[in-house]
């Protein structure tokens, strides 16, 4: 119980700093891609920031693991977090750093009770749109056959891909770009399903609330009718007794 309290306290204290680090990661990831003329020193600085942010989330995972009362159960329940921590170490690609950090940010934000589902979905859409655009631009811009050359093209492509519209005016030509496209398609379908389920659940809850209120009113009317009937019977009985006394 004490360990649970310590783990909850750690998660509460580190929530905002980790989200701030996630913003720093987003900036560091975006600068070298948006600014094609960025020098070696700036690129190295951004890479260092990316690794530092990933390291902070890795330390957060290890701390939560150390504070967990049942560490084996914690690993089983948070296996995706473990994969996100280990993946960039095994294969230090920039894209894997991006994927792992996004996973860790998403999993960590999901623990915060103050973050509602709508906020989480909106944040996920914006994050996927932004990072998907940057990721595909970074791998397609130098491709000889590529047609995604600018940030505007990348954002348009990411938006049409996430919404599964797919106009086809822009499309990735590299294997890595197509892998990013598959990830965006699946993410867009999943988020659309979450939004649809959330709206359906809201309507169902509203209908159920209306049904409960209607049943409550019906029961109240029935009870009131029964009371009126009982009062009439009592009045009739008293009138009959008074009439008998007069006779």
């Amino acid at each position: 119980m004490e360990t649970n309290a310590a783990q909850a306290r750690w998660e509460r204290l580190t929530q905002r700093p980790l989200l701030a680090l996630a913003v720093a990661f987003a900036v560091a990831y975006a600068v070298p891609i948006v600014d094609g003329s960025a020098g070696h020193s700036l690129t190295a600085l951004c890479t260092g920031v990316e690794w530092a942010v990933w390291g902070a989330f890795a330390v957060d995972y290890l701390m939560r693991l150390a504070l967990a009362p049942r560490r084996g159960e914690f690993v089983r329940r948070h296996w995706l977090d473990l994969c996100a921590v280990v993946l960039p170490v095994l294969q230090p690609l920039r894209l894997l750093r991006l994927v792992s950090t996004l996973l860790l940010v998403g999993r960590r934000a999901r623990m915060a009770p103050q973050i509602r589902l709508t906020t989480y979905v909106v944040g996920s859409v914006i994050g996927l749109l932004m990072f998907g655009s940057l990721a595909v631009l970074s791998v397609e811009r130098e491709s000889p056959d590529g047609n995604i050359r600018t940030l505007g093209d990348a954002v348009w492509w990411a938006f049409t891909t996430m919404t599964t519209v797919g106009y086809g005016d822009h499309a990735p030509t590299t294997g890595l770009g197509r892998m990013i496209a598959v990830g965006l398609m699946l993410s867009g379908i999943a988020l659309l399903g979450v939004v649809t389920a959330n709206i359906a659940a809201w309507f169902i809850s509203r209908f159920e609330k209306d049904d409960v209120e209607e049943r409550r009113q019906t029961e109240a009317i029935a009870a009131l009718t029964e009371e009126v009937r009982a009062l009439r019977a009592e009045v009739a009985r008293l009138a009959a007794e008074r009439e008998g006394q007069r006779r």
Side-chain angles (χ1 to χ4, degrees):
M1 194 73 181
E2 187 176 335
T3 309
N4 278 333
Q7 183 181 354
R9 187 164 58 252
W10 168 265
E11 292 174 357
R12 186 172 59 253
L13 290 175
T14 57
Q15 182 69 37
R16 291 184 179 178
L18 288 177
L19 291 178
L21 287 175
V23 174
F25 177 89
V27 174
Y29 183 82
V31 166
I33 298 175
V34 175
D35 185 7
S37 61
H40 177 72
S41 58
L42 180 59
T43 303
L45 175 64
C46 292
T47 302
V49 171
E50 291 176 17
W51 277 111
V53 172
W54 169 84
F57 277 94
V59 170
D60 172 68
Y61 173 83
L62 294 176
M63 283 298 300
R64 288 189 287 122
L65 176 62
L67 294 173
R70 297 186 181 91
R71 295 178 183 174
E73 182 181 349
F74 180 87
V75 172
R76 286 194 300 272
R77 290 178 57 189
H78 300 86
W79 61 271
L80 193 58
D81 300 35
L82 179 61
C83 293
V85 168
V86 173
L87 198 61
V89 177
L90 299 179
Q91 185 67 43
L93 290 176
R94 193 159 188 251
L95 188 59
L96 289 182
R97 255 192 339 268
L98 169 65
V99 173
S100 65
T101 305
L102 286 178
L103 285 174
L104 290 171
V105 170
R107 300 283 291 181
R108 195 65 169 79
R110 201 174 300 174
M111 294 178 188
Q114 68 270 22
I115 295 181
R116 302 294 180 186
L117 178 61
T118 304
T119 306
Y120 184 80
V121 170
V122 171
S124 299
V125 169
I126 295 174
L128 286 171
L129 183 63
M130 180 179 68
F131 285 110
S133 305
L134 294 171
V136 79
L137 180 61
S138 66
V139 300
E140 291 291 324
R141 184 163 49 191
E142 304 300 329
S143 174
D145 301 325
N147 58 5
I148 303 176
R149 304 288 185 183
T150 65
L151 183 60
D153 293 341
V155 171
W156 171 250
W157 170 84
F159 191 83
T160 56
T161 302
M162 280 190 63
T163 55
T164 66
V165 174
Y167 282 109
D169 51 350
H170 295 289
T173 57
T174 63
L176 197 55
R178 288 169 180 168
M179 288 177 60
I180 296 171
V182 171
L184 276 180
M185 292 174 195
L186 296 178
S187 301
I189 294 171
L191 287 173
L192 182 61
V194 170
V195 172
T196 304
N198 194 29
I199 293 174
W202 182 82
F203 275 112
I204 290 173
S205 65
R206 292 293 302 177
F207 290 147
E208 288 178 349
K209 189 180 296 183
D210 292 342
D211 290 342
V212 170
E213 186 64 26
E214 187 177 349
R215 282 199 301 271
R216 187 181 295 122
Q217 291 177 358
T218 302
E219 291 172 358
I221 292 172
L224 185 60
T225 303
E226 192 63 31
E227 290 179 4
V228 170
R229 187 179 295 117
L231 285 173
R232 285 179 176 175
E234 183 67 17
V235 169
R237 186 183 65 79
L238 291 174
E241 288 180 357
R242 183 175 298 178
E243 185 68 24
Q245 290 174 358
R246 286 178 180 177
R247 292 177 182 178

